[in-house]
Amino acid sequence: MNEDQSKAEAAVLTSNEQYPAVLPLLTVQDQVIFPLSLAPLRITDKTEMKLIEEAAMGDKFLALITRRNTELPASLENAYDVGCIGRILQLQRTPDGNMHVAIQALKRFRVVGVESTDPYPRIRVEVLDDSPLDGTDAAPLVMTLKLQMGRLIDLSPNLPDNAATVIENIQDAGFLADLAAANLNINIEEKQKLLETLDRKARLERIIYLVTAEVDLLELSKKIQTNVKSTIDRSQREYFLRQQMRAIQEELGEAGSERPELKAYLEKIEASGMPEDVRKEAMRDLDRLGQMNEASSEYHVITTYLDWLVDLPWAVSTEDHIDLSEAERILNEDHYGLEKVKRRILEYLAVRKLKADAGGPILCFLGPPGVGKTSLGQSIARAMGRKFVRISLGGMRDEAEIRGHRRTYIGALPGRIIQSMRKVGVNNPIFMLDEIDKVGSDWRGDPSSALLEVLDPAQNGTFTDHYLNVPFDLSKVMFIGTANSADTIPWALRDRMEIIDIAGYTVEEKLKIASKYLVPRQIEANGLPPRRVSFSTPALRRIITGYTREAGVRNLERQIGTVCRGIARQVADNGRAKQFKVTPDDLAPYLGRERVFHDVAERTSIPGVATGLAWTPTGGDILFIEATRMPGKGSLVLTGQLGEVMKESAQAVLSYVRSNAAALNIPEETFTQNDLHIHIPAGAVQKDGPSAGVAMLAAVTSLLSGKRIRSNVAMTGEITLRGLVLPVGGIKEKVLAAHSAGIREVILPERNEPDLDDVPASARDKMKFHPVQRMSEALKIALGIEM
């Protein structure tokens, strides 16, 4: 945009030139050419060069239209309908064989037809004229546009300084609008719309809007740049002033004078009691901090790191107060039963009392949900006078959750071990690692491997978090783990822990726990007056046997809470608290009908059904094994989501029964003329393990012999083809499940007889146990069959 061009274009405005009706078509890309503008073009296509040469030797006129899609080749279909008639002013060939041409845009046109396409397109055009504009409308629009263009020229680095003079000297509204549109930083589609707008007033209004928007954007950008520059200048000025102040202090012998925040950090470092090697690291970072600009991002990284160092309890401990009698009282006060667990805890505390620095094993409470594993850790902390902290490891897959993130980016943090130590504020808390059996691993690392350093007494004295990068002593921490299943605990972790089984509670124990702990807690939690609400023993027994089926008491407490909430609603509605004594008949309005049924006798009333015992991560359970036969060729069908081990047990059962068919009085043709189907209900639940071998044997033998299995007998044990019954795990859980289901006799492997010592006496004394060594003994007890 220059003054000479403006004069030349103004001269064209006064001419009344006639244009050819048919013109050669030249499509341009990435630009829209407006009337009275000068378009310098570089031509590389051979066909387009031929077009330019023939037009230059003729009347020099041609049609200029913008391409719609720059990725498609030049064609009439890939061009807009409105363009500009142009005249070739100058033509020059370059050494590389291409062509430079300067074209003066003259007048808008619209394509009305195609004359020919070979060797290049020739089109018929209709010259377009702008609509007239009344002077009273034009004056304010022209003045506004010139004013905004002046602001744009001042702000934009891409427009020359003399452009303001050119704009000021233009009087024609249409020419002014086109000149402004050609120099706007807008997309091709928007420029093409302006080219196709023949209404001068509408075109001026739209261009004024676009110019104003670009001016606002440039002003905002300039403001941001100014603010950033002032911030940088201020930071540099502060840095130089600090350097000058430091030099002056050194000259005056006052070099020890530091900034207040540095003094505060120095005092905290001295008071923290951190080891010497950690103190050296802290002082090194403090020296680096004193040489940094406060606006630096690394400044805040170092201050955050120092905050972590000085806040950690390097030398803060609580004093142990171990009184075994008091500890036993606290354990009995907080938990009912669990005598073996309490005895082991008291032994642990006794060793700690005699030898305070005794390492000892890491305790791990193993059992189903709701048996009190976490609350045992809280009781130990109360008995020892220590603080208690807990983290859940369930679903943890990132090693950085344990070891922390390295200080390579803003936002890095220590691992959850160090975070918990800072939160608890002492270096010897009771630290509970919940759900240690649910730790996972993926591409981010293996948290269980990181836990090895935490739990190993030989290593945790120098535990190094990646964020701190200095050792922190965890040897004074008493770690306690909890888990639902020992099988899923990584073997290296399991080797470092002492597993203490908490299998579950009998009905009688649940009654005591409910009356002593759960009912008072739920009455208080629901805002009920304690002396006006009570639960009868038959009501609690009905809740335990008819509404819950669990090893622990978590769901039992929920059901008691449901009853208490129902009572709370009645109290709130009546406005006064009357006397409530909950009886078995009162439960249905609050809890609905009973959901747990003990139908062992009904389900085993026909031959081919045996009652087995199973272990699950949520406690023991009973399962029914059903067998039936149908005409066939001796196939064995297994259903009920059985795992590979259970399938192999079923094959072993069939082989044993068939090999001993004569002793069992089963005709041989029974196996060749029938198919056998073994099914374990609850088919949606996957089942596996060798424990069902004896029960499968009893079910198949009962079916083929036609003798019914005794309904009050449950069984467990692994079988062999030689007829032996091998020991299995989870005896305590299985016996408690049988007791809860009303079963009073259990067949189990002889080598599992010592495991009965773990069963609570309240359940053991009411049951009869049949330890067996061979499968024939089990069949005699369950079916009365002599072999």
Side-chain angles (χ1 to χ4, degrees), residues 525-787:
N526 290 282
L528 296 172
R531 297 183 179 180
R532 292 186 175 272
V533 179
S534 62
F535 284 71
S536 67
T537 300
L540 292 175
R541 186 181 295 274
R542 178 72 60 83
I543 296 175
I544 293 168
T545 59
Y547 293 92
T548 65
R549 189 175 182 176
E550 57 175 346
V553 294
R554 187 169 294 163
N555 197 36
L556 173 60
E557 184 171 7
R558 290 195 191 101
Q559 300 297 334
I560 294 173
T562 301
V563 176
C564 290
R565 287 192 297 273
I567 296 174
R569 179 178 177 181
Q570 297 180 44
V571 173
D573 287 342
N574 296 332
R576 62 187 182 85
K578 64 178 183 178
Q579 194 74 29
F580 289 91
K581 183 174 179 63
V582 181
T583 65
D585 296 335
D586 299 327
L587 296 177
Y590 301 114
L591 303 178
R593 289 184 291 180
E594 293 185 31
R595 294 173 173 81
V596 179
F597 302 97
H598 303 292
D599 52 354
V600 177
E602 179 183 347
R603 298 185 68 169
T604 58
S605 60
I606 60 174
V609 182
T611 306
L613 296 174
W615 178 92
T616 70
T618 58
D621 199 0
I622 64 171
L623 51 85
F624 295 97
I625 298 176
E626 302 175 349
T628 189
R629 61 180 175 177
M630 68 287 291
K633 297 181 180 180
S635 299
L636 176 63
V637 180
L638 304 172
T639 56
Q641 283 272 29
L642 307 186
E644 291 299 323
V645 176
M646 292 192 78
K647 292 178 181 178
E648 292 169 358
S649 296
Q651 293 284 354
V653 164
L654 184 58
S655 298
Y656 177 81
V657 173
R658 190 167 183 179
S659 64
N660 293 275
L664 296 171
N665 296 321
I666 301 173
E668 178 61 29
E669 59 269 16
T670 302
F671 301 98
T672 59
Q673 298 177 5
N674 295 277
D675 288 341
L676 186 64
H677 185 170
I678 299 177
H679 175 70
I680 302 181
V685 180
Q686 191 166 1
K687 314 166 190 73
D688 201 8
S691 300
V694 171
M696 284 185 178
L697 171 68
V700 171
T701 306
S702 170
L703 173 71
L704 299 181
S705 66
K707 294 187 177 183
R708 187 171 62 87
I709 299 173
R710 293 166 55 198
S711 61
N712 64 337
V713 174
M715 55 204 78
T716 184
E718 182 180 0
I719 62 171
T720 70
L721 293 176
R722 294 180 299 157
L724 297 177
V725 178
L726 301 182
V728 292
I731 293 297
K732 180 181 178 181
E733 291 86 348
K734 294 173 180 177
V735 170
L736 290 177
H739 179 268
S740 298
I743 297 172
R744 292 298 175 259
E745 293 188 35
V746 175
I747 300 173
L748 73 161
E750 186 179 58
R751 289 169 60 185
N752 280 127
E753 190 173 6
D755 296 327
L756 295 175
D757 295 341
D758 297 333
V759 180
S762 58
R764 188 174 63 241
D765 295 343
K766 295 180 180 179
M767 302 181 71
K768 184 177 181 181
F769 300 97
H770 301 281
V772 297
Q773 188 176 12
R774 302 193 63 83
M775 294 154 66
S776 57
E777 300 174 38
L779 292 177
K780 180 179 179 181
I781 297 169
L783 294 166
I785 295 178
E786 295 280 356
M787 292 181 63

Side-chain angles (χ1 to χ4, degrees), residues 18-70:
Q18 297 296 320
Y19 305 104
V22 177
L23 293 170
L25 173 64
L26 178 64
T27 60
V28 296
Q29 61 181 5
D30 297 331
Q31 62 176 317
V32 176
I33 299 174
F34 286 87
L36 308 182
S37 63
L38 185 64
L41 301 176
R42 182 172 181 266
I43 309 299
T44 60
D45 184 76
K46 300 298 183 184
T47 303
E48 292 179 350
M49 288 183 185
K50 182 176 179 63
L51 183 155
I52 296 294
E53 288 175 342
E54 292 184 0
M57 290 186 294
D59 55 14
K60 296 183 171 30
F61 288 111
L62 73 166
L64 301 171
I65 299 184
T66 303
R67 295 184 193 176
R68 293 179 182 271
N69 190 339
T70 58

Side-chain angles (χ1 to χ4, degrees), residues 287-338:
D287 291 340
R288 291 176 56 207
L289 193 68
Q291 301 172 12
M292 283 186 181
N293 187 351
E294 292 181 7
S296 168
S297 59
E298 191 177 358
Y299 180 91
H300 299 288
V301 171
I302 294 178
T303 56
T304 304
Y305 176 69
L306 289 175
D307 287 337
W308 276 101
L309 284 183
V310 299
D311 288 346
L312 285 174
W314 300 97
V316 181
S317 304
T318 54
E319 185 178 352
D320 289 346
H321 300 283
I322 301 178
D323 184 333
L324 295 184
S325 300
E326 178 67 12
E328 185 176 10
R329 184 193 67 78
I330 291 174
L331 290 173
N332 290 331
E333 179 182 303
D334 294 346
H335 299 84
Y336 182 84
L338 305 179

Side-chain angles (χ1 to χ4, degrees), residues 96-299:
D96 58 1
N98 296 324
M99 181 182 292
H100 285 172
V101 59
I103 301 176
Q104 173 73 55
L106 301 173
K107 199 75 171 178
R108 285 177 172 82
F109 74 85
R110 179 180 286 110
V111 179
V112 295
V114 180
E115 187 70 18
S116 64
T117 58
D118 189 43
Y120 46 79
R122 294 176 62 83
I123 59 174
R124 289 191 298 274
V125 300
E126 175 192 359
V127 178
L128 303 176
D129 292 317
D130 287 347
S131 63
L133 181 63
D134 185 77
T136 57
D137 292 334
L141 291 173
V142 169
M143 181 179 298
T144 302
L145 181 55
K146 287 183 177 181
L147 179 63
Q148 293 297 336
M149 285 298 295
R151 295 174 60 195
L152 180 62
I153 292 168
D154 290 339
L155 292 170
S156 176
N158 300 322
L159 296 177
D161 295 337
N162 64 346
T165 304
V166 174
I167 293 292
E168 191 63 35
N169 291 332
I170 295 175
Q171 302 302 322
D172 184 86
F175 174 35
L176 178 63
D178 289 340
L179 184 62
N183 288 277
L184 277 178
N185 184 24
I186 56 178
N187 58 47
I188 297 297
E189 290 79 7
E190 186 69 42
K191 285 191 175 184
Q192 182 66 29
K193 288 180 182 179
L194 293 174
L195 180 66
E196 296 175 2
T197 303
L198 302 181
D199 187 336
R200 294 188 185 185
K201 181 178 180 183
R203 190 158 80 239
L204 280 169
E205 290 174 345
R206 180 61 182 169
I207 290 175
I208 289 172
Y209 170 79
L210 294 172
V211 172
T212 303
E214 189 166 350
V215 167
D216 291 343
L217 183 62
L218 289 172
E219 286 181 341
L220 179 60
S221 176
K222 184 176 180 180
K223 181 179 179 181
I224 293 173
Q225 292 177 1
T226 302
N227 291 341
V228 171
K229 185 176 183 301
S230 63
T231 301
I232 294 175
D233 291 344
R234 183 172 63 253
S235 300
Q236 291 177 341
R237 180 171 176 271
E238 291 175 356
Y239 176 76
F240 288 126
L241 287 175
R242 287 193 185 94
Q243 294 298 321
Q244 291 176 357
M245 183 174 65
R246 181 170 298 174
I248 292 172
Q249 289 173 345
E250 290 178 355
E251 290 295 329
L252 295 175
E254 299 175 357
S257 303
E258 298 289 348
R259 300 200 303 262
E261 66 272 20
L262 301 183
K263 284 186 177 181
Y265 276 121
L266 182 59
E267 292 172 359
K268 291 178 180 179
I269 291 172
E270 297 296 340
S272 65
M274 59 181 63
E276 185 60 28
D277 54 343
V278 181
R279 183 182 181 279
K280 288 180 180 178
E281 182 70 18
M283 292 304 298
R284 187 177 70 85
D285 277 351
L286 186 62
D287 291 340
R288 291 176 56 207
L289 193 68
Q291 301 172 12
M292 283 186 181
N293 187 351
E294 292 181 7
S296 168
S297 59
E298 191 177 358
Y299 180 91

